Amino acid sequence: MLLDFEKKGWCRFNNAKMDTAIELLIDEILEFSHYIFKRSVPELKSLREKSSYLSEIVAEFSIKDRTKVSYVYDAIKNLPSFHSLYAHPTLLNTCRTILNSRKILTLKDSVGIRIDLPRETQQLTNIHQEFHSFPYGLEGLVVWLPLTPVNEQNGTIKLFEGSNKELFEFSGDRLGINSLIGQNRFQEAQKVGKLHIGDEGQSPKIITAEVGEILIISATTLHASHPSEKQRFARLTCQFRVFNYSEEFFLWKSENYSFNEGLKQPIAGQELYNEFRDKRRL
């Protein structure tokens, strides 16, 4: 796992204890959503059965009442099992091992759930590096955890292996980007800016994963949404961000700026990095 991460900028992680935690979350999502939609949850025996059913039923609910699906989306992040999942000791210890540090932060305000529905494209992301929008440290991780199958048929993400070796420059109209961010149009804001990657984006790895397969991605690995025109069911994924607070950039930022300086402002994130880089060269 560590060799894969160092070489490619990401790795897969499987663990039986995490399977149990994921299953508890899916059970709670099914129970809550069916309560809202006044339906009974069918008897489902395996984690994969529950995962596939969740994918199908959320897509069905979205056709009948999109507003209630939004209600379920907001509620998921408040379920006890959701908080238990991203704070799971097995997951955090794996992150500590990959970062080679006991000093880590999990950013609770950026712990998220995504529900990607068929024929909806507004939440799709362009190629990006996580650092620009979450400039807490160069030694950071994105934990990408599918609750439903992800593949070319159902939509997934694509990763650019080995791109974690450097931070690519992000540029654009700062006022225009920040205006969109202020309107909670973060995905649009990313698309207004430009990430200067040269030929790095030519051969991505298209990810296929089942529920229980966890991806751990470097905060400097290029990645993007990989949509599918054939998508029939909902795709649900959790994203957690973890940073090593003992590394050089984090310490420098703590001496010069507020904790959340540059949060979800990719131009500001780039400027922070440029200032850090220039001062380190002196």
Side-chain angles (χ1 to χ4, degrees), residues 106-143:
T106 55
L107 302 177
K108 68 177 184 63
D109 293 333
S110 71
V111 170
I113 179 82
R114 278 187 62 139
I115 300 180
D116 290 277
L117 297 167
R119 298 171 296 281
E120 293 193 4
T121 60
Q122 62 268 31
Q123 294 300 318
L124 299 177
T125 58
N126 281 356
I127 299 172
H128 65 286
Q129 290 172 303
E130 210 73 9
F131 173 87
H132 287 106
S133 297
F134 297 90
Y136 293 99
L138 293 164
E139 295 180 16
L141 305 172
V142 181
V143 179

Side-chain angles (χ1 to χ4, degrees), residues 40-279:
S40 297
V41 181
E43 184 176 347
L44 302 163
K45 295 182 179 179
S46 71
L47 175 57
R48 286 201 175 188
E49 281 182 355
K50 294 175 181 179
S51 171
S52 296
Y53 175 73
L54 176 64
S55 181
E56 295 171 15
I57 201 65
V58 170
E60 179 187 326
F61 286 165
S62 70
I63 296 171
K64 294 179 178 178
D65 194 332
R66 185 67 178 80
T67 301
K68 284 190 176 179
V69 170
S70 297
Y71 196 88
V72 170
Y73 165 80
D74 288 328
I76 289 174
K77 290 178 284 187
N78 296 286
L79 294 173
S81 55
F82 181 82
H83 293 271
S84 297
L85 182 61
Y86 83 78
H88 198 288
T90 300
L91 179 61
L92 297 182
N93 284 334
T94 300
C95 291
R96 289 185 179 101
T97 298
I98 291 173
L99 292 171
N100 192 29
S101 175
R102 305 300 298 175
K103 298 177 172 62
I104 64 171
L105 294 173
T106 55
L107 302 177
K108 68 177 184 63
D109 293 333
S110 71
V111 170
I113 179 82
R114 278 187 62 139
I115 300 180
D116 290 277
L117 297 167
R119 298 171 296 281
E120 293 193 4
T121 60
Q122 62 268 31
Q123 294 300 318
L124 299 177
T125 58
N126 281 356
I127 299 172
H128 65 286
Q129 290 172 303
E130 210 73 9
F131 173 87
H132 287 106
S133 297
F134 297 90
Y136 293 99
L138 293 164
E139 295 180 16
L141 305 172
V142 181
V143 179
W144 197 75
L145 195 156
L147 301 180
T148 58
V150 294
N151 47 51
E152 291 201 64
Q153 182 76 21
N154 206 35
T156 181
I157 61 170
K158 53 188 176 185
L159 304 173
F160 298 84
E161 298 184 329
S163 60
N164 58 307
K165 305 299 189 231
E166 63 178 301
L167 190 72
F168 297 91
E169 182 182 356
F170 187 94
S171 65
D173 172 16
R174 181 170 184 165
L175 291 177
I177 290 172
N178 287 351
S179 175
L180 289 170
I181 291 171
Q183 300 170 52
N184 291 321
R185 295 159 65 187
F186 181 61
Q187 310 301 351
E188 291 178 51
Q190 275 195 324
K191 294 170 186 176
V192 170
K194 178 176 176 60
L195 189 65
H196 301 270
I197 59 174
D199 296 328
E200 291 290 332
Q202 300 307 309
S203 54
K205 170 77 172 180
I206 309 302
I207 296 300
T208 296
E210 294 290 339
V211 62
E213 292 185 274
I214 302 169
L215 271 64
I216 300 181
I217 307 164
S218 168
T220 54
T221 294
L222 291 168
H223 60 288
S225 298
H226 184 74
S228 171
E229 294 180 0
K230 300 179 181 179
Q231 183 181 352
R232 295 173 52 209
F233 304 124
R235 186 172 72 255
L236 282 79
T237 52
C238 299
Q239 300 87 37
F240 314 139
R241 294 170 181 89
V242 181
F243 286 90
N244 171 16
Y245 68 80
S246 67
E247 60 103 358
E248 192 177 358
F249 177 89
F250 188 95
L251 293 174
W252 169 83
K253 185 181 175 185
S254 72
E255 295 170 353
N256 296 277
Y257 293 96
S258 65
F259 184 82
N260 287 322
E261 180 73 22
L263 176 61
K264 293 192 175 182
Q265 299 178 49
I267 295 291
Q270 181 66 52
E271 290 173 347
L272 283 169
Y273 173 74
N274 292 346
E275 184 180 345
F276 164 73
R277 179 198 59 200
D278 293 344
K279 288 188 175 180

